[in-house]
Amino acid sequence: MTLPSQAAVVVIGGGIIGCSTAYHLARDHKVDVVLLEQGKLTSGSTWHAAGLVGQLRSSASITRVLKYSVDLYKGLEAETGLATGWKMTGCLRLATNADRWTEYKRLATTAKSFGMDMHLLSPAEVKAMWPLMETGDLVGASWLPTDGQASPSDITQSLAKGARMHGAKLYEDVRVTGFEMKGDRITAVKTNQGDIACDKVVNCAGQWARQVGAMAGINVPLQPVKHQYIITEKIAGLATDAPTLRDPDRRTYFKEEVGGLVMGGYEPNPQAWTTGDVPNDWEFRLFDDDYDHFEQHMVQAIARVPALEAVGVKQMINGPESFTPDGNFILGVAPECANMFVGAGFNAFGIASGGGAGWVLAQWVVDGEAPLDLWVVDMRRFSNLHRDRHWVCERTLEAYGKHYTIGFPHEEYASGRPRIVSPLYERLKQQRAVFGSKLGWERPNWFAPEGVEPRDVYSMGRQNWFAAVGDEHRHVREHVGIFDQSSFAKYELSGPDAAKALDWICANDVSKPVGRLTYTQLLNTRGGIEADLTVSRLAEEKFYIVTGTGFRTHDASWISDHIGEGLDARLTDVTEDFGTLSLMGPRARDVLSAVTGSDVSNASFPFGHIREIVIAGHTVRALRVTYVGELGWELHVPIAATGEVFDALMAAGRKHDIRPVGYRALESLRLEKGYRAWGSDITPNDTPLEAGLGWAVKLRKNTDFVGRRALEKVGGASLKKRFAGFTVDDPEIVLLGRETILRDGEPVGYLTSGGHGYTVGKNIGYGYVRSADGVSDDFLASGSYELVVAMQRTPANIHLEPLYDPAMERVKA
């Protein structure tokens, strides 16, 4: 065997993800692609996967990816002549308690929002479909008829054959040993059979993806976890087309296989394999059977399917699966290496995801940007925190243990905390703060009043913090609050060409004089919103950029990747150099003027400006900007001085009734003001014109920027979707997002975010209203609206303006 000396794209890994990516690169893009597998195709973890194929996820884009998998598997045999073992058996998910049933009602609504039909069944209907099941404890079940099961090895071999048919070259028994690099780019893949020069590399190495990435200096935060299931002998009375079964309250799953059952589960005490390197020679290998550990699943499974007690076990499979710290897989371009893409960490969803993941990853490799909003699986959601193997292991085991637990709204992870704390952590703790965690940072979500235990109590209805957050919200509207937002991601872009680089990257006009601040989106070539941030001009050649905590790696990577070739501009991450205190509310100016000698009047310090002012002897960057719809400033303080500046503000603010406020109140305040949140309300699938943010785009200015052409194509044409607000009067309703929007009884979209507005006294949701014939103001205003919440229709009012807009003099005066 002689390897080619060069290829356009080298795919590493011959499991389902690698073979699917090679297939799509060759079929859809006619790319010269070589796939390398260190053992045999499927020999890593693909061959021992259980093969359940579910489609519904909480993200519309990821659901679309999974639906694509199903469509591909249905037709692949006809194309390649190789069977995939695909069976559309449908899937039953069982509910044994009221909270789980509420979760399913919400899921069924989400399914309808995403164009899928999920049915809710009674215990009697479940019994009729699966007679061997014990149903006495059931409240009901959800039923998704288009889910199913497949043979992992057969699908992979079929994809491999399809890839070859379209011109891809696949090589087995070739181990990648390293990379030749030039700066942050791979120029060649080194192997034990010779080197291959290439333009791009796709790392689909499964549980070896971390090691392969490390050879190119990139971090792929994976943890292999031992996952066990059994295959039983034949069971009398089990139908060959029995639906796959998920019994999450008993943490188990079942699928029919050759007249018997495959049964496994997700235990709360999972076993990690190694935090070191996975052995290279782990080909078609398993761990020893561990019936002691598996007994917890056997007990629950027999209670559900009593026939299991009398049937023999043909085989136990105990193999490693790659899991991630948040239970979502990893796709996309590596932030540390310009031309390595990753598809790994599928959390036992690899078979369900494989077809669609290969499709979007191939498109991403060719275009250099994701074809859909794939933020929840984007590799750039991680940070340097995820280089800590032990932290990743601990958090991943918690995520694994939650695989089948009820997904309560606003639930926080508990492991590996506290990890990163602001200088105010102890002060806020003493004020009875209840913290959440974002990219490792501890952040106050709310403050418990005396007599209320400072911890979250999760539920499907109103949670224990609802009233306390309402008090914080009202306080910011009427007095003044201080938010610790030190976790904000912050960068400086400097150099002679900094302004030129930002002019190309930003949709809004940031070429303003020194001392001015601009809110802007960063767009992709489709005109979709890739980031949403503020840019402040500190000097002719120096800009200060502030974005959300979770977007730190993503936004830095996007900006760096789009600084034009040959431009002299350097991006520096200064997140840990500054603490951030947001002083917000009608009394904010009174407090600020008491602690600084600078003139902070509206005339001297208008909205949209940045000034350096001195507080408690420290130079502070003050940004006049708000995310809550009130007068206010973001104060960026040298990190070591954050405590002193906070104390000074609290002391000066005492007579104005200042108090610390948390992120939950921030969320309800921004909902009332109609501010969009990136990742939910505005995403790479949405343009500023659709989102009602056209005012923040420099289309009138004769200058090119990323995404301009796509927006110009739309031009004056009628938009097919538009962002709108909705309110619901019923106080019992809880809006979370993904509820279906009905106009005159017909579905026209779904909510992207939801919550409660305490000032307006109503539940608030935002979402896009869609119509193939165009969405005009008249179309929006003339409809009668309802929202479907947990399968119940409730009347709603539409709003095209902010629900709450304090008197303009209070914001600007």
Side-chain angles (χ1 to χ4, degrees):
M1 174 190 68
T2 310
L3 290 180
S5 60
Q6 61 182 63
V9 178
V10 174
V11 176
I12 301 168
I16 189 166
I17 309 301
C19 288
S20 177
T21 303
Y23 168 82
H24 286 93
L25 282 166
R27 188 195 73 177
D28 297 349
H29 307 286
K30 311 296 181 260
V31 168
D32 167 27
V33 58
V34 167
L35 181 145
L36 306 176
E37 163 55 47
Q38 67 173 353
K40 301 294 182 207
L41 296 183
T42 80
S43 66
S45 57
T46 296
W47 72 277
H48 63 70
L52 276 68
V53 180
Q55 300 164 85
L56 183 63
R57 300 296 281 268
S58 58
S59 150
S61 290
I62 302 306
T63 299
R64 193 173 150 196
V65 167
L66 299 178
K67 280 167 79 172
Y68 176 94
S69 293
V70 165
D71 292 339
L72 180 70
Y73 300 162
K74 279 182 199 167
L76 198 58
E77 183 178 353
E79 181 188 344
T80 66
L82 290 185
T84 59
W86 166 250
K87 287 203 299 188
M88 197 170 85
T89 54
C91 177
L92 284 167
R93 289 173 177 81
L94 309 181
T96 66
N97 57 67
D99 281 343
R100 182 74 71 182
W101 191 234
T102 301
E103 181 179 49
Y104 286 0
K105 286 191 282 190
R106 287 185 179 159
L107 272 175
T109 303
T110 298
K112 283 215 167 26
S113 292
F114 296 169
M116 300 172 77
D117 226 3
M118 179 182 268
H119 308 271
L120 298 175
L121 308 182
S122 69
E125 289 170 307
V126 174
K127 184 78 174 175
M129 290 175 78
W130 234 92
L132 295 177
M133 192 196 312
E134 174 54 55
T135 57
D137 62 338
L138 293 189
V139 178
S142 71
W143 164 241
L144 202 53
T146 53
D147 278 359
Q149 60 191 67
S151 161
S153 293
D154 289 349
I155 286 185
T156 305
Q157 295 293 354
S158 194
L159 285 165
K161 185 175 178 188
R164 291 190 188 100
M165 285 165 60
H166 291 290
K169 303 180 191 78
L170 282 64
Y171 298 91
E172 296 180 314
D173 302 312
V174 179
R175 181 167 299 151
V176 172
T177 57
F179 300 100
E180 270 179 34
M181 308 281 295
K182 187 176 180 184
D184 67 347
R185 296 187 75 82
I186 296 168
T187 55
V189 178
K190 297 179 175 183
T191 83
N192 60 350
Q193 310 274 341
D195 299 352
I196 306 176
C198 61
D199 300 326
K200 293 175 182 178
V201 173
V202 192
N203 175 0
C204 300
Q207 57 205 356
W208 291 273
R210 189 189 67 79
Q211 285 144 251
V212 169
M215 295 177 196
I218 76 163
N219 178 46
V220 186
L222 298 178
Q223 177 58 49
V225 180
K226 296 177 181 182
H227 184 73
Q228 295 190 95
Y229 64 86
I230 56 167
I231 305 167
T232 75
E233 303 285 0
K234 287 193 171 175
I235 299 174
L238 179 65
T240 54
D241 61 350
T244 58
L245 199 61
R246 288 180 171 85
D247 188 4
D249 295 324
R250 293 184 183 272
R251 299 178 180 272
T252 51
Y253 60 81
F254 305 81
K255 76 161 189 171
E256 186 277 336
E257 187 159 299
V258 204
L261 281 176
V262 166
M263 184 279 288
Y266 291 87
E267 62 275 17
N269 57 335
Q271 298 174 316
W273 182 16
T274 174
T275 54
D277 285 354
V278 174
N280 283 326
D281 60 354
W282 193 268
E283 189 181 342
F284 294 118
R285 281 175 62 184
L286 296 169
F287 304 111
D288 293 338
D289 297 349
D290 187 348
Y291 277 102
D292 288 346
H293 191 72
F294 194 71
E295 185 187 11
Q296 56 191 308
H297 295 315
M298 284 301 305
V299 169
Q300 296 291 352
I302 289 166
R304 178 63 66 213
V305 185
L308 278 174
E309 196 159 20
V311 75
V313 173
K314 221 168 23 180
Q315 190 183 6
M316 168 172 268
I317 303 285
N318 184 7
E321 295 267 7
S322 281
F323 285 81
T324 64
D326 61 3
N328 285 320
F329 46 90
I330 300 174
L331 282 188
V333 66
E336 309 95 331
C337 176
N339 61 340
M340 180 183 270
F341 295 77
V342 177
F346 280 83
N347 304 283
F349 273 108
I351 309 309
S353 318
W359 160 56
V360 292
L361 193 52
Q363 191 81 47
W364 204 331
V365 169
V366 169
D367 293 347
E369 62 182 40
L372 301 170
D373 167 27
L374 297 172
W375 169 241
V376 294
V377 297
D378 193 314
M379 183 167 180
R380 294 166 297 183
R381 71 189 187 272
F382 300 119
S383 68
N384 281 334
L385 158 73
H386 296 89
R387 292 183 176 276
D388 180 333
R389 302 298 330 276
H390 295 288
W391 188 92
V392 165
C393 180
E394 193 182 343
R395 176 58 58 87
T396 302
L397 292 181
E398 183 185 5
Y400 179 105
K402 284 182 166 178
H403 195 87
Y404 275 162
T405 57
I406 292 168
F408 288 109
H410 313 292
E411 192 172 350
E412 296 274 353
Y413 283 100
S415 60
R417 295 177 56 188
R419 176 59 189 230
I420 307 168
V421 298
S422 100
L424 303 183
Y425 181 69
E426 291 301 332
R427 286 174 174 81
L428 298 176
K429 216 172 168 180
Q430 283 167 7
Q431 300 255 13
R432 305 175 57 78
V434 181
F435 290 91
S437 172
K438 193 72 169 267
L439 212 62
W441 285 83
E442 292 292 315
R443 313 190 314 171
N445 276 339
W446 61 286
F447 291 82
E450 290 298 332
V452 175
E453 192 185 350
R455 71 179 185 95
D456 286 326
V457 179
Y458 300 121
S459 76
M460 282 298 186
R462 293 275 179 236
Q463 297 189 353
N464 66 319
W465 44 263
F466 184 76
V469 169
D471 288 342
E472 292 176 36
H473 174 116
R474 281 183 285 274
H475 202 89
V476 174
R477 287 274 182 254
E478 294 166 11
H479 305 284
V480 59
I482 189 164
F483 300 83
D484 179 8
Q485 296 190 281
S486 300
S487 63
F488 269 161
K490 315 170 219 24
Y491 328 103
E492 288 175 356
L493 187 76
S494 51
D497 296 323
K500 192 175 178 185
L502 285 173
D503 210 27
W504 165 246
I505 293 167
C506 298
N508 207 346
D509 183 7
V510 298
S511 60
K512 293 174 182 159
V514 172
R516 291 293 302 278
L517 172 156
T518 308
Y519 163 73
T520 184
Q521 289 95 44
L522 315 186
L523 308 183
N524 56 41
T525 57
R526 303 188 311 280
I529 301 169
E530 287 286 345
D532 164 81
L533 40 77
T534 59
V535 177
S536 303
R537 193 164 202 167
L538 298 177
E540 282 303 317
E541 297 185 0
K542 188 175 182 183
F543 294 82
Y544 185 54
I545 301 168
V546 182
T547 189
T549 307
F551 316 136
R552 179 178 181 175
T553 307
H554 173 274
D555 291 6
S557 175
W558 183 269
I559 294 166
S560 298
D561 288 350
H562 289 82
I563 292 173
E565 200 71 35
L567 291 188
D568 186 356
R570 292 171 308 286
L571 188 74
T572 312
D573 189 319
V574 294
T575 299
E576 274 83 12
D577 294 358
F578 295 92
T580 305
L581 302 174
S582 288
L583 185 70
M584 298 284 155
R587 317 304 311 172
R589 181 174 286 117
D590 299 328
V591 177
L592 192 58
S593 58
V595 295
T596 182
S598 301
D599 183 352
V600 294
S601 67
N602 193 56
S604 182
F605 197 156
F607 189 78
H609 284 64
I610 179 172
R611 299 271 187 276
E612 287 200 334
I613 64 176
V614 176
I615 302 176
H618 301 283
T619 302
V620 171
R621 291 176 180 175
L623 283 61
R624 175 93 189 272
V625 65
T626 178
Y627 191 55
V628 302
E630 295 289 345
L631 172 69
W633 283 263
E634 266 176 32
L635 303 172
H636 293 249
V637 183
I639 193 96
T642 311
E644 280 179 68
V645 171
F646 175 81
D647 292 344
L649 289 165
M650 289 296 284
R654 202 165 288 129
K655 66 179 180 187
H656 302 291
D657 207 12
I658 196 170
R659 64 179 281 188
V661 180
Y663 272 82
R664 297 248 162 90
L666 186 77
E667 174 68 5
S668 69
L669 290 157
R670 77 99 188 161
L671 284 168
E672 286 188 339
K673 191 66 179 71
Y675 290 131
R676 284 72 159 149
W678 191 84
S680 52
D681 302 322
I682 48 176
T683 76
N685 291 347
D686 312 305
T687 70
L689 305 181
E690 294 164 340
L693 297 170
W695 57 269
V697 181
K698 57 188 177 212
L699 281 173
R700 286 200 189 90
K701 191 179 172 195
N702 186 23
T703 176
D704 201 8
F705 59 88
V706 184
R708 178 173 189 129
R709 279 176 207 139
L711 295 186
E712 282 176 336
K713 269 186 197 159
V714 181
S718 179
L719 296 168
K720 304 284 189 273
K721 68 175 193 185
R722 297 248 317 260
F723 190 76
F726 297 88
T727 53
V728 171
D729 294 338
D730 183 346
E732 297 305 306
I733 295 285
V734 177
L735 298 181
L736 299 168
R738 297 180 294 283
E739 294 84 358
T740 311
I741 302 166
L742 301 178
R743 179 185 179 275
D744 298 339
E746 293 298 316
V748 290
Y750 54 89
L751 297 188
T752 49
S753 63
H756 190 77
Y758 295 90
T759 307
V760 298
K762 296 176 193 291
N763 298 300
I764 301 171
Y766 289 101
Y768 290 87
V769 175
R770 294 165 166 81
S771 171
D773 298 327
V775 183
S776 64
D777 285 355
D778 281 352
F779 178 88
L780 289 170
S782 63
S784 169
Y785 292 91
E786 295 168 286
L787 298 177
V788 184
V789 185
M791 298 302 281
Q792 295 293 313
R793 290 160 74 143
T794 184
N797 294 309
I798 191 167
H799 303 268
L800 303 180
E801 298 293 328
L803 287 155
Y804 175 80
D805 207 353
M808 289 314 287
E809 63 270 15
R810 273 186 44 196
V811 177
K812 300 244 172 107

